[in-house]
Amino acid sequence: MSEKKEQLNEEQIEQEELEQKVEEQKEDELETNGSNEESEENKELTAEEKIAQLEEALKESEDKYFRVHADFENIKKRLEKEKYQAIDYASEKFAKDLLTPIDTLEMALAAEEAGKDLPAEELLAKLKEGVELTIKSFYTAFEKHDITIIETDNGFDPNFHDAVMQVESDEHEDGEIVQVMQKGYKFKDRLLRASMVSICKK
């Protein structure tokens, strides 16, 4: 009888141990599942945070681009305006320098009016002096702006001289310039007007 009781006790203990192990297993599974769910939630939160960061960075890049583009357009417009102003007023300095010759001509005319009672020869001399001063003023203005007279002493050059007449001359070689009928001018290295000349023909 006692043996049967011992056997039943052992079986009961084994059964309890088995049930305890099953319970522990279930608890472990529940803990594992819970930790997995928490991990997935953390991953989802991290991904959302990354997307938010990327969107913020994209927005900042777009703002920088629009600011730079706006600055570029403003600079472009300003440069265009300055360019057209430079073209429109390119002759301003030259125009100012032409005011002096005009003033000289006006003074010559005023002197002629004031000198009506002078002898003709004296009046003519004053007018000549006024014209010479005016021409000198023009040449001074030309010199300031790199406008020069085309030389004719070095012989005929079809690039700068326009032969409008051929004349006979014992004092010149064939093809040499005999007379300058109208002076030519250059602006720096660019031809403004060719010299109008006559050349010798043998």
Side-chain angles (χ1 to χ4, degrees), residues 124-151:
L124 185 61
K126 286 188 176 293
L127 286 173
K128 182 183 177 183
E129 183 183 359
V131 171
E132 288 173 346
L133 287 172
T134 303
I135 292 173
K136 185 179 179 181
S137 296
F138 272 116
Y139 283 143
T140 300
F142 284 177
E143 187 178 351
K144 285 175 68 175
H145 296 277
D146 295 321
I147 299 173
T148 54
I149 298 172
I150 293 173
E151 298 293 335

Side-chain angles (χ1 to χ4, degrees), residues 72-88:
F72 173 76
E73 286 296 321
N74 289 334
I75 292 170
K76 183 180 175 183
K77 288 177 182 177
R78 191 180 76 245
L79 290 176
E80 284 283 327
K81 184 179 179 181
E82 290 175 357
K83 182 182 77 173
Y84 287 121
Q85 283 181 342
I87 292 171
D88 290 340

Side-chain angles (χ1 to χ4, degrees), residues 152-165:
T152 55
D153 296 336
N154 297 326
F156 181 79
D157 184 346
N159 295 312
F160 297 104
H161 304 137
D162 183 14
V164 294
M165 188 182 298

Side-chain angles (χ1 to χ4, degrees), residues 119-126:
E121 290 182 3
E122 189 176 344
L123 180 59
L124 185 61
K126 286 188 176 293

Side-chain angles (χ1 to χ4, degrees), residues 111-123:
E112 189 273 336
E113 288 291 330
K116 284 183 177 180
D117 297 333
L118 294 175
E121 290 182 3
E122 189 176 344
L123 180 59

Side-chain angles (χ1 to χ4, degrees), residues 14 25 28 54 68 72 78 93 96 100 105 129 151 157 159 161 178 182 187 195 198:
E14 287 178 1
Q25 235 176 3
D28 289 341
L54 290 172
V68 170
F72 173 76
R78 191 180 76 245
K93 289 183 179 179
K96 283 182 178 179
T100 301
L105 283 172
E129 183 183 359
E151 298 293 335
D157 184 346
N159 295 312
H161 304 137
V178 177
Q182 187 180 70
F187 174 56
S195 298
S198 62

Side-chain angles (χ1 to χ4, degrees), residues 11-175:
E11 288 177 357
Q12 188 174 0
I13 290 168
E14 287 178 1
Q15 182 69 27
E16 287 176 356
E17 288 178 352
L18 182 63
E19 288 177 355
Q20 187 175 356
K21 284 183 180 179
V22 170
E23 287 293 327
E24 287 176 355
Q25 235 176 3
K26 286 182 179 179
E27 287 177 0
D28 289 341
E29 286 178 0
L30 286 171
E31 286 178 3
T32 304
N33 290 336
S35 63
N36 287 338
E37 287 176 2
E38 287 177 3
S39 176
E40 287 177 3
E41 286 178 3
N42 289 335
K43 285 182 181 178
E44 287 177 4
L45 287 173
T46 304
E48 288 175 359
E49 287 174 356
K50 285 183 177 179
I51 291 170
Q53 288 176 353
L54 290 172
E55 287 177 346
E56 184 67 25
L58 178 62
K59 186 179 179 182
E60 288 179 3
S61 298
E62 286 178 345
D63 290 342
K64 286 180 182 177
Y65 168 77
F66 288 126
R67 284 198 299 270
V68 170
H69 183 69
D71 290 341
F72 173 76
E73 286 296 321
N74 289 334
I75 292 170
K76 183 180 175 183
K77 288 177 182 177
R78 191 180 76 245
L79 290 176
E80 284 283 327
K81 184 179 179 181
E82 290 175 357
K83 182 182 77 173
Y84 287 121
Q85 283 181 342
I87 292 171
D88 290 340
Y89 296 99
S91 303
E92 182 179 3
K93 289 183 179 179
F94 184 58
K96 283 182 178 179
D97 289 331
L98 290 181
L99 298 178
T100 301
I102 291 173
D103 291 340
T104 307
L105 283 172
E106 289 178 344
M107 283 190 292
L109 289 174
E112 189 273 336
E113 288 291 330
K116 284 183 177 180
D117 297 333
L118 294 175
E121 290 182 3
E122 189 176 344
L123 180 59
L124 185 61
K126 286 188 176 293
L127 286 173
K128 182 183 177 183
E129 183 183 359
V131 171
E132 288 173 346
L133 287 172
T134 303
I135 292 173
K136 185 179 179 181
S137 296
F138 272 116
Y139 283 143
T140 300
F142 284 177
E143 187 178 351
K144 285 175 68 175
H145 296 277
D146 295 321
I147 299 173
T148 54
I149 298 172
I150 293 173
E151 298 293 335
T152 55
D153 296 336
N154 297 326
F156 181 79
D157 184 346
N159 295 312
F160 297 104
H161 304 137
D162 183 14
V164 294
M165 188 182 298
Q166 292 180 334
V167 296
E168 294 181 359
S169 174
D170 297 331
E171 298 175 2
H172 299 83
E173 296 294 328
D174 188 44

